[in-house]
Amino acid sequence: LAHIVYSPSKMFDIFIGQKWTTAAGNKGNGSYNFVGGGFQAGNTGFLAEEAGATFKMSGINFTLAMTGKGRNNAGRINQNELGENPGFATDLHYSHDMFKIGLAGHLSSFNYSSDLDYAEGGDRDSYLGVLYGSVKAFGLKLYGEYYQGQALNNINSLGIGAAVSMANGVVSDEIKESGYWATLEYGPTENDLFKLGYGSASVDEDQKADLGSMSMNTNSYIFVNYGRTLEDNLTAFVQVTQHSTIYGPDTNEVTFDANVFQSG
């Protein structure tokens, strides 16, 4: 994170640099795994180079930004994402003492480039739409979001699907996907906090039959953690996370599970 914010008034900010993408929705999912954070399993949005502005008034925040592109498939297709046009991201949310609700999005297109291995293809579009929010009631806090998108890895959104699918060396359809996550927090005292979270992402049903054997089909996780505030800016925590990942087409899918314990 390295960006500059200039605020000519309390209602207006101008920013430029690398930051959490404007289309990230909630900036965290409650996990103490700050690197993973449920990405590729219902949580989207990561870092991006952006230049834009935010307007603020009576709990309403509206942000519009020009934003950088991400990388495409990890192979040789559009590795450097050629093209002159930037991406565009926006976020509109309303915050209240008891709740927050927002809508964010990211749109970009990518110019196809070829090399000796992949000689055919065409320009592709990427997009992300996120509905997110939080609510506080009865000593509990609930956070969550839902997204739909296409070729998300093109726009640093860490989606489940590859940017594009390939058949016989030809770039074909963009991978479409959707996902969601929710986290419930409970703090019995000022120093103790328990969190339970779940998230899942899946490639669209119409495209699952075309997935390769090593392509993600569905990915989900569930975690529970406990944090104890020892003093200002110092928290001790433990967390247990269970991951379940399905690879391959529906006709020949394989499931892998992993269990992770963390403390710190």
Side-chain angles (χ1 to χ4, degrees):
L1 301 177
H3 58 274
I4 297 171
V5 179
Y6 171 59
S7 302
S9 72
K10 293 182 179 180
M11 297 175 59
F12 194 66
D13 293 337
I14 301 172
F15 57 85
I16 186 170
Q18 179 167 285
K19 55 186 284 295
W20 285 103
T21 174
T22 294
N26 291 300
K27 298 301 188 291
N29 69 335
S31 171
Y32 285 104
N33 184 349
F34 300 119
V35 177
F39 296 121
Q40 293 188 306
N43 192 12
T44 61
F46 200 59
L47 304 181
E49 292 75 35
E50 295 188 341
T54 298
F55 174 76
K56 300 174 286 186
M57 183 181 67
S58 301
I60 298 175
N61 281 47
F62 175 70
T63 300
L64 182 64
M66 289 192 303
T67 182
K69 303 175 182 180
R71 60 182 294 168
N72 201 321
N73 209 24
R76 298 177 177 87
I77 302 178
N78 292 2
Q79 188 82 359
N80 297 313
E81 302 299 8
L82 303 180
E84 297 178 355
N85 61 310
F88 293 93
T90 186
D91 176 82
L92 175 65
H93 66 262
Y94 174 72
S95 298
H96 186 270
D97 291 341
M98 300 298 295
F99 69 91
K100 178 179 181 179
I101 186 169
L103 184 65
H106 192 152
L107 177 66
S108 189
S109 62
F110 297 85
N111 299 88
Y112 175 81
S113 63
S114 62
D115 60 22
L116 296 178
D117 293 326
Y118 299 101
E120 299 181 40
D123 296 348
R124 299 293 167 186
D125 295 322
S126 292
Y127 67 84
L128 169 66
V130 182
L131 176 65
Y132 67 98
S134 63
V135 62
K136 306 175 184 178
F138 308 107
L140 302 173
K141 297 180 182 179
L142 177 65
Y143 301 84
E145 65 183 50
Y146 171 81
Y147 80 88
Q148 287 189 330
Q150 172 177 289
L152 296 188
N153 293 326
N154 278 335
I155 49 179
N156 281 344
S157 292
L158 300 178
I160 185 177
V164 293
S165 60
M166 294 174 290
N168 299 320
V170 179
V171 180
S172 54
D173 294 335
E174 302 91 338
I175 297 297
K176 298 178 178 64
E177 62 181 272
S178 60
Y180 61 91
W181 65 264
T183 298
L184 183 65
E185 294 186 358
Y186 172 62
T189 72
E190 292 184 355
N191 295 324
D192 299 288
L193 184 61
F194 295 89
K195 289 180 282 189
L196 173 66
Y198 178 80
S200 182
S202 182
V203 171
D204 277 12
E205 292 294 331
D206 293 343
Q207 294 182 313
K208 286 186 176 183
D210 300 325
L211 293 175
S213 60
M214 296 302 294
S215 298
M216 282 190 182
N217 179 315
T218 302
N219 194 28
S220 61
Y221 70 97
I222 185 170
F223 70 82
V224 59
N225 60 44
Y226 164 70
R228 170 74 177 180
T229 300
L230 304 180
E231 58 181 70
D232 289 345
N233 300 315
L234 180 62
T235 299
F237 74 88
V238 292
Q239 175 170 308
V240 177
T241 308
Q242 196 274 337
H243 303 267
S244 181
T245 308
I246 300 174
Y247 291 91
D250 285 344
T251 55
N252 191 29
E253 63 183 32
V254 179
T255 302
F256 292 91
D257 296 322
N259 299 285
V260 181
F261 173 80
Q262 297 171 264
S263 62

